[in-house]
Amino acid sequence: MTTQPPLVLGIETSCDETGVALYGERGLLADALYSQIDMHAEYGGVVPELASRDHVRKLIPLIKQCFANASVTSRELSGVAYTSGPGLVGALFAGASVARSLAYAWDIPSIGVHHMEGHLLAPMLETTPPSFPFVALLVSGGHTQLIKVNQIGDYQLLGESLDDAAGEAFDKTAKLLNLGYPGGPALAACAKNGNPERFNFPRPMTNRPGLDFSFSGLKTFALTTSQQHALDEQTCADIARAFEDAVADTLAIKCKRALTQTGLSTLVVAGGVSANQRLRKTLDQMAKEISAKVFYPRHEFCTDNGAMIAYAGYQRLLAGEFDELSIKARPRWPLSALNTPQTK
C-alpha cells in the first residue's frame, strides 16, 4: 500500500485580500488571489465589515479554481491551513470557519497559521531559498519587526516598531499628500519623480543603540514639510522621495546592526513593504558592503497570499500539529508565542 504524498490547502483572509493555494511534496501546485483594493479605495482604507463579507463571497470560488488549476480533488488533501491571526477579527473568522468546516467535512486535520510566520517563510517558496539561521525583517501592514530565525517556530524578537509601523507610515503619508489608496505603492510611484536633494528627512532612532523602530515622528515631519510648501505635483514627489529614502535608510541601518549583533550573514525581507524597489536597492547595497546575502519573496508573494499560508501549514502539519474542533481567530498574536514543530 503506497502512502499518499501530503497536500495542503491554504486559506488567507487576514485583511483585504482573499488568498487560496495548494502546496504539497511537489511544491506549489496552484494559487489564486482576489484583492479588495477597488472596493476599499472608495473609503480611503479598509472597511472591516465589507472585507469580511467579501471573503465569504470569494472563498469557495477561489478554492474551486485552485483545485481545477492543479487537477486535484479534495480526496487528495492531507490538511487545511488557514490564517488564524493576527488580523481583522471578522475577516479571520470568515477564513477560519470555512477552513474548519471543510476539514471537518473531508475528515482531515486543519491548523491555524500565524500570519507573520507565513510572511517570514514566503521566501522558502523560491527556487533558491535561504538557509537557517537568518535575520528576518518583517514589514507588513501594522508590523515592523526584526527577528532572529533559528528554524521554523524558533523565533527571537530583536526589535520592533514602538508606534507606527513602516507600512502604516507609508499609508498615512500618502494620504496627507492625497496620493490615493493603497498608499504604499502610490507613494513609491510618486517618489520616482522626486528630487532626492530637495528635502532631508531624519532617520529615526538610528543615533541610539538598539533595534527598535519609530516612524510616527517621520510621518509628522512629512506633515510639517507639506504644510510649509505649496503642494504642487513636484513638491509632492520631492516629499515622497525624501520620506521613502528615510524609511529605506532607517530599515537598512537597523538590519545591518542586527546582522552584526547576531553574527549572521543572511537577511530575509518579507511583507508588503518588501516589494518597495528603493528599499530593496538600499538593502542590497548594505548587504554588499558587509558581504551578506538578502532574500526576498517574489513580488506577488510580498503582499498577503494563500501560498505562504499553505507552505507554513504544510510544514506544521508534516510535523504532526493540528487544531482541535473549536474555531480560533487571534486578532493579536505575538510571533514569539509560536512553538518549534518537532519534525518526525
Side-chain angles (χ1 to χ4, degrees), residues 24-44:
E25 190 177 52
R26 292 183 287 127
L28 184 64
L29 301 186
D31 71 286
L33 183 72
Y34 176 79
S35 174
Q36 302 175 358
I37 284 177
D38 291 343
M39 178 178 66
H40 296 297
E42 180 181 350
Y43 305 94

Side-chain angles (χ1 to χ4, degrees), residues 140-208:
S140 171
H143 298 82
T144 300
Q145 298 176 320
L146 276 168
I147 297 169
K148 182 184 178 186
V149 180
N150 294 311
Q151 58 180 308
I152 295 176
D154 187 354
Y155 309 128
Q156 177 188 350
L157 181 65
L158 302 175
E160 62 184 339
S161 181
L162 303 178
D163 39 57
D164 283 354
E168 290 174 318
F170 263 103
D171 289 341
K172 292 176 181 178
T173 301
K175 191 168 186 177
L176 71 86
L177 294 176
N178 297 313
L179 297 179
Y181 173 85
L187 188 143
C190 181
K192 289 181 179 179
N193 300 316
N195 176 5
E197 306 299 328
R198 183 175 178 187
F199 298 116
N200 183 26
F201 281 29
R203 277 54 175 165
M205 295 185 70
T206 58
N207 60 349
R208 66 181 74 175

Side-chain angles (χ1 to χ4, degrees), residues 7 12 15 37 80 82 107 132 178-179 235 250 252 263 282 298:
L7 179 64
E12 155 60 22
C15 190
I37 284 177
V80 181
Y82 64 93
D107 193 26
F132 300 105
N178 297 313
L179 297 179
T235 298
T250 299
T282 305
R298 70 192 74 168

Side-chain angles (χ1 to χ4, degrees), residues 34-310:
Y34 176 79
S35 174
Q36 302 175 358
I37 284 177
D38 291 343
M39 178 178 66
H40 296 297
E42 180 181 350
Y43 305 94
V46 177
V47 181
E49 179 64 22
L50 295 180
S52 304
R53 293 179 182 182
D54 214 40
H55 288 311
V56 173
R57 284 192 291 265
K58 297 297 190 299
L59 266 174
I60 298 303
L62 287 176
I63 291 171
K64 290 181 177 179
Q65 179 184 333
C66 275
F67 280 139
N69 291 346
S71 299
V72 300
T73 68
S74 60
R75 294 185 182 88
E76 299 172 64
L77 285 181
S78 307
V80 181
Y82 64 93
T83 301
S84 183
L88 302 175
V89 65
L92 292 170
F93 266 116
S97 58
V98 170
R100 287 297 297 116
S101 299
L102 291 177
Y104 183 79
W106 293 334
D107 193 26
I108 55 177
S110 69
I111 187 165
V113 171
H114 194 293
H115 180 70
M116 298 310 294
E117 181 175 46
H119 275 302
L120 187 152
L121 297 177
M124 297 296 181
L125 292 163
E126 301 306 312
T127 305
T128 306
S131 300
F132 300 105
F134 55 77
V135 170
L137 171 66
L138 296 182
V139 275
S140 171
H143 298 82
T144 300
Q145 298 176 320
L146 276 168
I147 297 169
K148 182 184 178 186
V149 180
N150 294 311
Q151 58 180 308
I152 295 176
D154 187 354
Y155 309 128
Q156 177 188 350
L157 181 65
L158 302 175
E160 62 184 339
S161 181
L162 303 178
D163 39 57
D164 283 354
E168 290 174 318
F170 263 103
D171 289 341
K172 292 176 181 178
T173 301
K175 191 168 186 177
L176 71 86
L177 294 176
N178 297 313
L179 297 179
Y181 173 85
L187 188 143
C190 181
K192 289 181 179 179
N193 300 316
N195 176 5
E197 306 299 328
R198 183 175 178 187
F199 298 116
N200 183 26
F201 281 29
R203 277 54 175 165
M205 295 185 70
T206 58
N207 60 349
R208 66 181 74 175
L211 295 171
D212 287 329
F213 303 92
S214 172
F215 292 106
S216 64
L218 190 60
K219 174 197 63 182
T220 303
F221 196 93
L223 173 62
T224 303
T225 304
S226 69
Q227 292 171 339
Q228 295 172 343
H229 299 81
L231 280 183
D232 53 41
E233 185 176 343
Q234 186 58 53
T235 298
C236 283
D238 295 343
I239 292 175
R241 176 60 189 270
F243 175 85
E244 187 180 48
D245 282 345
V247 172
D249 286 348
T250 299
L251 293 174
I253 290 169
K254 292 301 179 83
C255 285
K256 180 179 180 180
R257 191 176 294 175
L259 290 168
T260 301
Q261 290 184 10
T262 59
L264 299 176
S265 58
T266 301
L267 175 68
V268 164
V269 187
V273 183
S274 69
N276 183 278
Q277 293 303 306
R278 198 167 310 282
L279 173 61
R280 290 193 176 204
K281 182 178 180 180
T282 305
L283 289 174
D284 288 343
Q285 181 59 39
M286 176 276 295
K288 184 178 180 181
E289 293 171 358
I290 62 172
S291 299
K293 291 184 178 180
V294 189
F295 291 82
Y296 310 93
R298 70 192 74 168
H299 185 79
E300 60 265 35
F301 292 161
C302 290
T303 53
D304 297 346
N305 62 87
M308 67 183 191
I309 302 303

